[in-house]
Amino acid sequence: DEHAESFSFSAAFISLLDNYETSTGVAEVVTPEEIVENNCFLDAVLATEVMKLAHEYLLKKNLAKPNLADFKYQLYDIWFQLYARKEGDRPDSCGFEHVFVGETRRGKQILGLHNWVQFYLQEKRNQIDYKGYVARKNKTRPDKDDQVLSIQFSWKGLVKPIGSTFIGVSPEFEFALYTVIFLLAEERVTHERVKIEEYELQMVVCRHGHHIGTAYPVLLSTSSE
């Protein structure tokens, strides 16, 4: 049943959002339970249509392992392998934490947090305070049809002056999109111009060695409001 699959994927995704120590400089401790949750999420994401398409595309480009177990290992390395966000620090970060969960640096700065589901859940728990948006040209304010927003918010007592995020898309769409761009490019910072429906976007993906450092969309046609 499609709805049951969708629910189990959402549950697998949401279960990861509380697995991280958000402060950089503090070593992450990955428990056996969290490793199981990471693997359950990857199994669920690999079963989605969008990730199957991404895998097929990457196979044509000779950038992915054909065997699903090998491809899953490749994804684990890209997204979940811990690294030090600053040289010399202990392993305190990973791509998934930065992009989908969010981090803080020295109690002064918000890093990442580019996922609308995490934003929604944190706002529901009164952890996030939404401060405003940057509107697109010919549009005075966002509406229910907007799927990419540049927003300002506070989280854990800190303000993020501007952060871009997709709104209403599935986590597997973002996961697949960022994975494809990461594997297609070799430079440290990739700026890939794409058109998704009516949106002119620049997809920004930064690598941290063999891992994702950050990934987010930037609206190219915006006007401040």
Side-chain angles (χ1 to χ4, degrees), residues 2-51:
E2 199 179 314
H3 292 297
E5 269 181 36
S6 170
F7 177 77
S8 65
F9 175 78
S10 302
F13 173 71
I14 289 167
S15 75
L16 303 182
L17 298 178
D18 63 358
N19 286 358
Y20 295 96
E21 163 53 62
T22 53
S23 182
T24 59
V26 179
E28 291 291 344
V29 177
V30 183
T31 66
E33 291 78 15
E34 287 170 356
I35 291 169
V36 168
E37 287 179 353
N38 292 345
N39 280 300
C40 284
F41 167 75
L42 288 174
D43 288 337
V45 86
L46 284 166
T48 64
E49 286 308 308
V50 69
M51 205 63 203

Side-chain angles (χ1 to χ4, degrees), residues 20-26 28 85-86 89 92-93 97-98 101-113 122 127-128 153-160:
Y20 295 96
E21 163 53 62
T22 53
S23 182
T24 59
V26 179
E28 291 291 344
R85 196 152 275 282
K86 287 193 78 183
D89 283 344
D92 59 355
S93 184
E97 177 188 12
H98 185 91
V101 182
E103 304 178 279
T104 59
R105 175 175 284 156
R106 292 194 209 94
K108 292 181 181 168
Q109 191 184 2
I110 297 169
L111 309 175
L113 211 170
Q122 289 291 302
Q127 297 290 311
I128 271 182
F153 60 91
S154 66
W155 182 53
K156 297 181 183 279
L158 307 169
V159 173
K160 182 147 191 172

Side-chain angles (χ1 to χ4, degrees), residues 188-206:
R188 201 182 70 77
V189 182
T190 304
H191 297 89
E192 190 69 41
R193 199 178 178 119
V194 298
K195 193 165 190 330
I196 300 176
E197 294 180 342
E198 82 262 29
Y199 298 97
E200 289 282 344
L201 299 173
Q202 191 174 65
M203 303 306 305
V204 180
V205 177
C206 303

